[in-house]
Amino acid sequence: MSRFFSEKFSALEPYVPGEQPQGRKYVKLNTNESPYPPSPIAQRLARQQAGDLQLYSDPDLRELRAAGAQAFGIDKDEIVFTNGSDEILNFAFSAFCDDNTPAVFADITYGFYKVFAEINRVPSMVIPLREDFSLNPDDYIGVHGTVFIANPNAPTGIALPIADIERIIAGNPDNIVVIDEAYVDFGGESAVSLINKYQNLLVTQTFSKSRSLAGGRLGMGIACKELIADINTLRFSTNPYNVNRMTAAAGVGALADAKYFADCVGKVKAMRERTAAALKELGFEMTDSSSNFLFAKHNAISGLELYTRLKEAGILIRHFETPRLRDYNRITVGSPEEMDIFIREVKKILAEL
């Protein structure tokens, strides 16, 4: 870093995203993207906006908010759209945490939480998951901080039932509880229905996974009107045009095309179960995933060696070199063709041991 970089960020460890190779063609199962293209309606509406890119996008995102309100059965003032769900999460750390209100999250969860706490210069309380990677709801009752829970969790894929989520929300009446539902469409239970029952609930979701818009960068927050107003205070104070015209239009199309959405989600879930069964036959152990990925290990080969050998064979998966995770790899559920290649190569690697 340069000598001009502020000392307040000298210890900042940036989030490390999954590899995005630009040269060699890989079977890419490392970043939890959808194997399917965006909805044809989303593509068509985005193309229609391409000719007007000389104009700013609508800062109020009225058409997109109306589509979101209809899709989720809420009021248009109970939803805010952002540049990916990372932006709404960053806003939440900034708006609802301070020196007296720490951020509370698990030791094994979305890696950006730690970064957001550091960059917003707020204290954090890190709570270990159980030995089996499950989250104990009792650990989050009355913690006197802003609670962040990824449900389903990443990278484990484990989901908490909505009854446990509600216990945590009710158990922190004087603090915000943020439920990060990036993967909820693949098997979790959404907490959106609770936003009018609890004024301290913020639900975040993304269009990157189940709606095939990872490259479009679109996320959203759903909460009572007062919390959405808080988020908009920060949004309009930093980047009121945070969602570009083409992405906003694609979001409208993605929300309108319910059949395409359901078909893609259904195919991913079916392929997840098929791949999990194949891996179990090969001796893998894995968590019970409610997401679009599997979190698996094999006693005959280290997580790092499997990752390395698959990469050499042209297949990317995600490896985390931390003590509790290094035996495991996270495997995105791809297309049937991609998963056939993956299983075939895993069989070959295990046979060579």
Side-chain angles (χ1 to χ4, degrees), residues 143-209:
V143 290
H144 304 295
T146 301
V147 176
F148 293 84
I149 294 177
N151 194 47
N153 196 17
T156 66
I158 298 172
L160 275 178
I162 196 66
D164 286 338
I165 293 294
E166 185 166 7
R167 273 210 303 130
I168 294 170
I169 300 166
N172 293 279
D174 298 321
N175 291 103
I176 299 297
V177 175
V178 180
I179 305 300
D180 178 358
E181 296 185 344
Y183 302 100
V184 72
D185 295 320
F186 299 104
E189 297 178 271
S190 178
V192 167
S193 63
L194 299 175
I195 65 164
N196 291 315
K197 184 176 181 180
Y198 297 99
Q199 302 296 296
N200 62 325
L201 170 64
L202 171 63
V203 178
T204 67
Q205 291 191 12
T206 180
F207 283 61
S208 294
K209 318 299 181 184

Side-chain angles (χ1 to χ4, degrees), residues 70-149:
Q70 182 176 359
F72 291 96
I74 58 176
D75 189 272
K76 62 182 177 59
D77 292 328
E78 294 173 334
I79 190 168
V80 61
F81 287 91
T82 54
N83 193 293
S85 62
D86 291 332
E87 186 175 49
I88 183 70
L89 289 168
N90 191 28
F91 283 153
F93 274 82
S94 180
F96 306 124
C97 302
D98 54 34
D99 289 341
N100 299 314
T101 311
V104 183
F105 48 87
D107 63 334
I108 297 173
T109 189
Y110 185 31
F112 236 136
Y113 297 164
K114 179 176 181 291
V115 179
F116 287 145
E118 290 177 353
I119 204 164
N120 285 289
R121 306 186 76 185
V122 297
S124 57
M125 179 190 305
V126 179
I127 300 176
L129 297 179
R130 295 180 177 121
E131 192 64 29
D132 64 355
F133 298 123
S134 63
L135 182 147
N136 183 357
D138 293 335
D139 292 341
Y140 293 81
I141 304 297
V143 290
H144 304 295
T146 301
V147 176
F148 293 84
I149 294 177

